[in-house]
Amino acid sequence: MKKFPGPVFACALFCSPALNGAPGANAQEAGGMPHVGCNANGYVLTHDPAYQRQNPDDRLAQSTVYLGVSCDAYAKTLGQGAWCWANAGVLTEFNGKTLSLARLELPECREHATEPACGCWEAPLPGAPGN
């Protein structure tokens, strides 16, 4: 049995995309992340129509989702809700159900740059324990 030098083995192990969480390892499929834009009231999330057709069970993808600066949310398919962000992405709550947008990064929007962020530690979702 041929032995690999320590650094080669370590690189083979830790440089592997399947093991270190590089894009594609456990990422959502292509088109899974919504496009995020800004408006005067907050953020606007839209998904690619091809992703919507291929993922009819992804309830957040089936219509435009609006995340307001006052931590309110709205989607035509889900109604009124709430949202907050954490280090792992954005959490939304519609009709008592929490739906996650893992790894979603919200842009800095000049339209509401002075508004406080809706951090989950400051403005937890209505269904969070203790609320």
Side-chain angles (χ1 to χ4, degrees), residues 4 13 35 44 68 71 75 80-81 94 96 101 108-109 115 119-120 131:
F4 291 100
L13 182 63
H35 168 74
V44 180
C71 308
Q80 297 290 333
F94 293 94
L101 292 160
E108 290 187 28
C109 300
E115 298 292 328
C120 292
N131 278 350

Side-chain angles (χ1 to χ4, degrees), residues 35-79:
H35 168 74
V36 183
C38 303
N39 67 16
N41 300 313
Y43 304 95
V44 180
L45 285 60
T46 56
H47 277 84
D48 182 91
Y51 178 82
Q52 291 175 326
R53 286 189 300 275
Q54 294 170 0
N55 298 279
D57 294 333
D58 186 342
R59 297 182 64 200
L60 286 175
Q62 297 309 310
S63 68
T64 301
V65 178
Y66 300 92
L67 305 177
V69 293
S70 60
C71 308
D72 61 320
Y74 175 78
K76 184 177 180 181
T77 57
L78 299 165

